[in-house]
Amino acid sequence: MDPIEQWIRRLPKAELHLHLEGTITPSTLVELSSLGDAAPITLSQAEALYSYADFTGFLQAFKAVVTELRGPAEYELAAWRMLQALAAQGVRHAEVFLSVGVIFRLRPEEDQRDPHLFARIFSALERARLRGERELGITLYWIFDAVRHFTVDEAARVFRLAAQMRRDHPSIVAIGLGGDERQTGSTPYRALYAQAAAAGLRLTNHAGETTGPEAIREALSIGSERLGHVLSAIRDPALLDELKLRQIPLELNPTSNVRTGVCPSLQHHPIRRYFDHGLLVTLNSDDPAFFGATVEDEYRLAHQHHGFTREELRTLAANSFRASFLPEAEKLRWLDQIGSCS
Ligand code: ADE
Ligand code: ZN
């Protein structure tokens, strides 16, 4: 590793846009399969699941991988492998999407039969989270993610669960909407977002990934506090000014956007222009096992392709904690450590 890579690893970082299911590598998938399958899949069979040609294909591949997550043991192992990978990159805090909507959609009969299925899965995830805190010194918050192109009723169930479960599990901090924005924007979710906010949940949203700036305005209009991707804001100077004025935290995912084909190359990604415009930019990996780049890689790529200096990378790391849902005192503690990281 060259000196800048070593320094990036030492730099305390928070990852704010990361899907648990998207961290499952082919080798972890083989391990998962061996937990419950009579004939476990091979590594090459697992690897084949990760090929896709476009954004729609990516969402299908994502769903195929989630299918291997059969129950609590699988979720616990997936979360533990994710935490190990994060800790190895110097990520000290992560806010992770859990595709709760997909769990119910994939297992309708089991869901009918076992009203405690999700509670058992979540207990297993909490075991992994607490182990990560204890053994790796990394903190983890959960974001319950609904799939926007399923039904509003399905999202309502996901957000209701988040509101109920956070009373006993303060690690559940926020809700989000993933899925295919080309099929539906944010307006149908306005009332659900208001109810979630009233229940004390923070609000994130994927916006402007496959769609234009109007989708980003729509996401803001329903109260989204933090926005994922925000790729198309570059086409709307007035929107850029609004994002700057309000210092809306942006969860950017450059490699993801190139790999799903929504951005032609890293050079075309607007991260540099957003940063120079004074937006609150953070760097994230989204689904690293599908896109071949971790968040640590994203910092290195920002340096190599967009000329981010050490001090600018330090600002990106500081932004990741500023934009997190951590308590203020925790944020200040991390900002202090980032300032003195040499
Ligand atoms: N779910 C997982 N990754 C996603 C992405 N990049 N966009 C929308 N939904 C997703
Ligand atoms: Zn995402």
Side-chain angles (χ1 to χ4, degrees), residues 17 19 206 229 286:
H17 191 116
H19 298 262
H206 286 62
H229 297 284
D286 200 12

Side-chain angles (χ1 to χ4, degrees), residues 238-248 277-280:
L239 177 58
L240 287 182
D241 288 343
E242 182 178 348
L243 294 171
K244 175 184 177 177
L245 189 71
R246 295 175 57 188
Q247 287 293 288
I248 300 289
H277 199 73
L279 306 191
L280 184 51

Side-chain angles (χ1 to χ4, degrees), residues 17-19 21-23 58 62 256 285-293:
H17 191 116
L18 181 67
H19 298 262
E21 303 82 356
T23 69
F58 158 69
F62 184 86
S256 160
S285 67
D286 200 12
D287 302 287
F290 287 82
F291 304 139

